[in-house]
Amino acid sequence: MLEVTGLTASYGSSRVLFGLDFAVGAGEVATLLGRNGMGKTTSVRCLMGLLRPTGGSIRFEGAELVGSPPHRAARAGLGLVPEGRQIFPNLTVEENLIATARAGHWSLDRVRQLFPVLAERRAALGTQLSGGEQQMLAIGRALMTNPKLLILDEATEGLAPLIRAEIWRVLGELKASGQAILVIDKNLDALLPLADRHTLIEKGQVAWSGSSAELAADAALQDRYLGV
């Protein structure tokens, strides 16, 4: 579904990505892992057209996305849950959900079934929600675009353990339904049983890629690229 090859990117004269390669298949859950500052969010910004790569290719269902504006990436079927949630603070929960909605499998009723708290808080403004509620809203908003590939950038960061567990439960349900997902997160214990493949990034390059079984079996690899 998604094929990224030789991706390079910079902020001004500062080079961040150095020929990155990774892929996500239809119905697959894949990850981008690495310490802070290694290029994960920059990769997501390139996928979504928020940052123009300096080289390489981003092909989604065979169509090249490099150089495309964000709205084209969204129309192609990429749905983003951005780092920091970035919900619309002065819109209600329901207005947030329908603001960028497209017709398809995901509707208001289905999102409310997935996150019942959003039904209870449907008239609340974004500023009136807790961090966990905002994160559920950000995921629901992305699902309302009916994406072919759902991208989550640090969706559990800073959340209470019970809320994190709820997010992982939802991602498990989405995977079971056949939703393709790309996850950037630090919670390896939750990612190993969920993801089909992992890509570890070190200083803007692929340091390792492989399956959950391979990553789980290599403690030295985890410590080298993911340890504090």
Side-chain angles (χ1 to χ4, degrees):
M1 177 178 283
L2 175 70
E3 293 181 280
V4 176
T5 55
L7 190 66
T8 61
S10 303
Y11 294 104
S13 60
S14 179
R15 188 84 167 265
V16 179
L17 300 181
F18 298 82
L20 205 61
D21 300 307
F22 64 92
V24 185
E28 187 176 59
V29 176
T31 74
L32 289 178
L33 303 176
R35 296 186 182 91
N36 290 340
M38 293 298 139
K40 304 184 299 296
T41 294
T42 297
S43 302
V44 170
R45 289 176 57 81
C46 290
L47 294 181
M48 297 303 302
L50 298 168
L51 177 67
R52 188 183 182 94
T54 54
S57 173
I58 301 171
R59 299 188 70 82
F60 187 69
E61 295 191 320
E64 180 61 60
L65 290 183
V66 165
S68 299
H71 70 265
R72 186 184 162 201
R75 287 176 180 170
L78 275 66
L80 176 63
V81 181
E83 185 177 15
R85 301 182 280 273
Q86 298 183 32
I87 61 168
F88 301 115
N90 296 320
L91 298 183
T92 67
V93 166
E94 189 156 316
E95 289 168 341
N96 265 276
L97 291 173
I98 65 176
T100 57
R102 292 195 301 175
H105 172 77
W106 287 101
S107 63
L108 276 174
D109 285 343
R110 291 191 68 87
V111 169
R112 288 167 180 163
Q113 290 170 12
L114 194 66
F115 294 116
V117 70
L118 297 184
E120 299 169 9
R121 303 281 278 154
R122 60 184 177 273
L125 297 176
T127 54
Q128 298 172 321
L129 303 180
S130 69
E133 290 169 341
Q134 289 183 8
Q135 190 62 71
M136 294 176 191
L137 178 57
I139 295 173
R141 180 182 61 182
L143 290 173
M144 286 289 288
T145 69
N146 279 282
K148 297 174 182 177
L149 174 62
L150 180 66
I151 303 170
L152 299 104
D153 190 0
E154 302 288 3
T156 68
E157 185 175 20
L159 299 180
L162 286 176
I163 301 298
R164 287 203 303 269
E166 177 70 2
I167 300 298
W168 294 120
R169 178 193 66 79
V170 165
L171 294 184
E173 289 187 14
L174 293 176
K175 179 183 180 179
S177 73
Q179 175 70 57
I181 307 173
L182 177 63
V183 185
I184 294 90
D185 205 279
K186 298 180 179 67
N187 194 332
L188 191 59
D189 288 342
L191 287 171
L192 286 173
L194 177 71
D196 299 289
R197 74 167 94 181
H198 306 270
T199 300
L200 273 57
I201 300 178
E202 178 80 4
K203 296 180 180 178
Q205 301 179 73
V206 174
W208 180 91
S209 62
S211 68
S212 283
E214 292 170 317
L215 182 56
D218 197 333
L221 182 73
Q222 296 178 35
D223 185 64
R224 180 176 180 181
Y225 295 112
L226 303 176
V228 177

